[in-house]
Amino acid sequence: MPDPEETAGQARGKPEPETDAERRRRRAQFLRELNEAKALRERVQPRRARAARMRQAMRMRTFRW
């Protein structure tokens, strides 16, 4: 949920430069949520998830460096 002060600053048209620490924190949160969503999808649809893993493994085996 966005901070009310951030949204007020953005509404005025003053985008404040985000620090590296803030960007890394947002990225880490995004990656955690993404991994959680993938794990949930694997539990809910195990056959489809297994097929997706097999396709990914095949792509990795046939990839040329």
Side-chain angles (χ1 to χ4, degrees):
M1 180 152 214
D3 189 22
E5 294 174 6
E6 285 180 15
T7 55
Q10 292 170 354
R12 286 192 299 262
K14 286 195 335 191
E16 297 179 11
E18 104 179 309
T19 64
D20 284 344
E22 290 171 343
R23 186 184 65 79
R24 283 193 301 269
R25 188 170 36 253
R26 281 191 316 109
R27 183 175 187 273
Q29 177 68 28
F30 170 76
L31 292 175
R32 276 194 301 272
E33 290 175 359
L34 181 64
N35 285 334
E36 183 180 334
K38 285 181 180 178
L40 176 63
R41 191 177 316 132
E42 284 189 14
R43 283 195 307 272
V44 173
Q45 301 175 337
R47 184 179 299 149
R48 192 174 294 174
R50 181 173 185 268
R53 278 196 310 274
M54 294 296 177
R55 283 192 299 273
Q56 177 65 15
M58 183 60 73
R59 280 195 299 269
M60 295 307 287
R61 280 196 299 269
T62 58
F63 182 74
R64 299 230 178 206
W65 293 100

